[in-house]
């Protein structure tokens, strides 16, 4: 049996209009940094923004179980999307015997997940699934992400991706035209530790040269993202709970002077 993991074509990035940045940034402290956007005087509440990748900055264009199923049709896969969905959850949450789930290109981990989720161990099927997710078309940015990041970057906020991911991540960020937004890209398979390990957060802070109490992390996993950030003294906003959109992130980092 086989199944597939298919993400729909990258969605359009229709974003909230933003104003122009004006003024000068003379210091990293909120009290001395003043500028305006949309003709409103604002201050920077944080100097650094750390972003999780999968599930936060990178959204699947189609649900995993639908993609696995559709890609598996030509391999004779009979597993239903509903069965794949349950199988994927079981496989992804199962203990992994190695130190890191994502080592190098992550193939050993993902091959196990695909096989366990679908009942198909055909290598050609796995490679098609794996390569599909290596392209930006399988992903899209949340609405407003590009515009918000552009505004924050112009306002002097240092930004980094901090992600438990394999070596495909940098290509995905490039495909989606956002890699140049970031002052650092910290990938677990490259640095050798995964969230919630505090070292991955410390690595990000060091690379963007921002103190923990002046940075905020946004991610979708309470254990890996919030637990790890809290351990280092970084504020954390859970995606989908504390912040729903990139406009929310913008409004909580660039705050009104009044």
């Amino acid at each position: 049996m086989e199944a597939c993991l298919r993400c729909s074509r990258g969605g359009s990035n229709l974003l909230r209009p933003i104003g122009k940045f004006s003024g000068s940034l003379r210091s990293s402290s909120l009290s001395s940094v003043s500028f305006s956007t949309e003709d409103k005087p604002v201050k920077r509440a944080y100097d650094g923004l750390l972003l999780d990748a999968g599930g936060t900055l990178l959204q699947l264009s189609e649900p995993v179980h639908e993609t696995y199923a559709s890609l598996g049709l030509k391999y004779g896969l009979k597993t239903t999307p509903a069965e794949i969905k349950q199988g994927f959850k079981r496989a992804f949450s199962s203990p992994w015997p190695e130190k890191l789930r994502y080592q190098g290109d992550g193939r050993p981990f993902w091959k196990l997940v695909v096989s366990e989720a679908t009942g198909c161990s055909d290598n050609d099927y796995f490679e098609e699934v794996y390569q599909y997710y290596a392209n930006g078309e399988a992903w899209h940015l949340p609405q407003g992400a590009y515009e918000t990041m552009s505004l924050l970057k112009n306002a002097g906020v240092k930004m980094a991706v901090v992600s438990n991911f394999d070596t495909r991540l940098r290509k995905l960020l490039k495909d989606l035209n956002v890699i140049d937004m970031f002052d650092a890209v910290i990938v677990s398979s490259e640095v050798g530790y995964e969230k919630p390990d505090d070292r991955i957060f410390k690595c990000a802070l060091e690379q963007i040269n921002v103190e923990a109490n002046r940075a905020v992390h946004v991610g979708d996993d309470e254990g890996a993202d919030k637990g790890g950030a809290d351990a280092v003294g970084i504020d954390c906003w859970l995606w989908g709970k504390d912040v729903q959109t990139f406009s929310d992130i913008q409004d909580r980092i660039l705050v009104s002077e009044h």
Side-chain angles (χ1 to χ4, degrees):
M1 286 176 64
E2 340 172 346
C4 315
L5 211 193
R6 180 189 178 225
C7 288
S8 94
R9 300 239 179 253
S12 64
N13 300 321
L14 300 177
L15 302 158
R16 179 180 119 178
I18 55 177
K20 295 182 178 180
F21 164 80
S22 64
S24 61
L25 301 179
R26 299 179 297 277
S27 161
S28 64
S29 112
L30 181 150
S31 60
S32 61
V33 175
S34 180
F35 49 94
S36 65
T37 179
E38 296 179 340
D39 299 321
K40 298 177 182 178
V42 295
K43 292 183 179 180
R44 205 167 60 213
Y46 294 92
D47 298 323
L49 171 63
L50 311 182
L51 288 170
D52 171 49
T56 303
L57 177 64
L58 303 184
Q59 300 288 328
L60 291 172
S61 298
E62 276 186 12
V64 163
H65 54 282
E66 293 182 8
T67 299
Y68 276 40
S70 60
L71 291 181
L73 290 176
K74 69 180 179 181
Y75 297 93
L77 180 67
K78 303 299 183 183
T79 313
T80 67
E83 291 170 332
I84 294 170
K85 184 176 182 179
Q86 293 304 313
F88 182 87
K89 288 180 178 179
R90 287 195 305 271
F92 195 81
S93 62
S94 296
W96 180 245
E98 304 295 331
K99 176 187 175 184
L100 300 175
R101 286 190 174 193
Y102 310 111
Q103 299 187 50
D105 61 14
R107 271 186 169 85
F109 172 72
W110 285 115
K111 180 173 276 191
L112 177 65
V113 169
V114 171
S115 176
E116 290 292 319
T118 66
C120 175
S121 56
D122 184 287
N123 191 63
D124 289 340
Y125 166 62
F126 166 73
E127 283 298 325
E128 183 167 349
V129 170
Y130 181 88
Q131 292 300 333
Y132 185 85
Y133 283 103
N135 293 303
E137 290 183 342
W139 309 82
H140 67 88
L141 302 177
Q143 183 175 357
Y146 191 89
E147 283 80 351
T148 290
M149 290 190 296
S150 296
L151 180 61
L152 294 177
K153 186 176 182 68
N154 287 338
V157 177
K158 299 296 184 181
M159 291 184 291
V161 172
V162 182
S163 179
N164 292 349
F165 217 104
D166 56 59
T167 51
R168 292 174 293 179
L169 180 57
R170 291 181 185 273
K171 179 182 181 298
L172 293 175
L173 296 175
K174 184 177 180 181
D175 286 352
L176 293 170
N177 299 312
V178 293
I179 194 165
D180 292 336
M181 290 279 189
F182 296 102
D183 300 280
V185 176
I186 313 300
V187 188
S188 63
S189 64
E190 296 176 354
V191 298
Y193 23 83
E194 297 176 346
K195 297 178 295 184
D197 193 316
D198 62 0
R199 290 175 293 179
I200 196 168
F201 292 96
K202 290 177 179 178
C203 182
L205 293 175
E206 181 179 348
Q207 290 201 27
I208 66 174
N209 194 29
V210 171
E211 296 295 324
N213 65 354
R214 296 295 302 158
V216 61
H217 176 66
V218 180
D220 67 326
D221 188 294
E222 184 145 9
D225 291 304
K226 186 169 180 58
D230 285 350
V232 184
I234 300 172
D235 286 347
C236 180
W237 303 330
L238 287 174
W239 179 256
K241 182 178 179 181
D242 301 318
V243 288
Q244 303 285 338
T245 66
F246 267 75
S247 293
D248 291 343
I249 296 173
Q250 173 186 319
D251 292 342
R252 294 180 70 170
I253 292 179
L254 302 181
V255 299
S256 173
E257 287 194 50
H258 306 296

